[in-house]
Amino acid sequence: MPTIHDVEVRDLQVNADERGHLVEVFREDWAEYDIDPAMSYYSMTYPGIVRAWHRHLEGQIDHFVCPQGRIKIGVYDEREDSPTKGELDTFVIGEHNQQVVRIPGDCWHGFKAISTDPSILINYPTELYDYDDPDEERIPYDAERVPLDWNEPPHE
């Protein structure tokens, strides 16, 4: 479970039958989506690729879902006024653990595709992407200021 202030996780119900399965990934009556998403997008990431670190300083909140493959999400709280400043949360979500992770945009966040096949990430951000002036601050995936080693082997 999350330790960082304002990070939330919801288990998603998988409705399976002989045809396959259906998973609701967004409902307006879920508390995790306290503000209507402004848009949605999905990205495909090849196995072993890290997409980190970035944050949004204008109030955006992200909502990550991984319907195909598996990803390891990292969230690091460096907010000056946060009761959990200095905390790191990690989550492994994907086709074997269907969850939505609500990420306060002003926390550093990113993910690594950890399955053997490409992973799909769906995001429901609360702000529209501004192509001319994006609300993104970026640092390298291996920045020392974030205490997560993406290349650390999995625990046994």
Side-chain angles (χ1 to χ4, degrees):
M1 291 313 308
T3 61
I4 294 177
H5 181 69
D6 291 332
V7 173
E8 296 178 36
V9 176
R10 170 184 284 274
D11 292 332
L12 300 176
Q13 180 177 329
V14 178
N15 301 295
D17 63 22
E18 66 276 3
R19 300 168 296 170
H21 67 264
L22 178 143
V23 179
E24 294 176 334
V25 296
F26 167 78
R27 289 181 52 100
E28 67 180 11
D29 59 346
W30 289 348
E32 293 79 10
Y33 293 96
D34 54 346
I35 301 171
D36 291 336
M39 61 181 283
S40 181
Y41 67 85
Y42 79 88
S43 63
M44 184 277 295
T45 304
Y46 293 116
I49 298 297
V50 177
R51 294 183 184 239
W53 293 102
H54 73 279
R55 66 181 175 180
H56 315 286
L57 300 176
E58 302 298 322
Q60 177 170 311
I61 298 169
D62 289 330
H63 302 85
F64 285 5
V65 177
C66 180
Q68 177 180 309
R70 289 179 74 107
I71 63 173
K72 178 178 182 176
I73 300 170
V75 182
Y76 180 62
D77 190 353
E78 201 176 64
R79 300 172 292 180
E80 287 299 324
D81 60 346
S82 174
T84 54
K85 182 179 182 206
E87 294 286 327
L88 173 73
D89 277 342
T90 60
F91 308 93
V92 174
I93 67 170
E95 55 197 36
H96 299 97
N97 185 30
Q98 290 291 300
Q99 295 182 315
V100 59
V101 180
R102 178 190 188 276
I103 303 169
D106 52 354
C107 287
W108 292 108
H109 56 286
F111 68 94
K112 179 179 183 177
I114 59 171
S115 59
T116 56
D117 293 318
S119 296
I120 301 290
L121 170 84
I122 300 174
N123 186 17
Y124 295 88
T126 58
E127 302 295 329
L128 288 174
Y129 184 80
D130 184 340
Y131 296 100
D132 297 323
D133 186 23
D135 172 24
E136 286 190 336
E137 181 180 352
R138 294 185 173 274
I139 58 174
Y141 78 96
D142 57 353
E144 290 185 15
R145 72 195 275 184
V146 180
L148 179 60
D149 179 1
W150 293 107
N151 296 317
E152 181 180 59
H155 301 299
E156 295 183 5

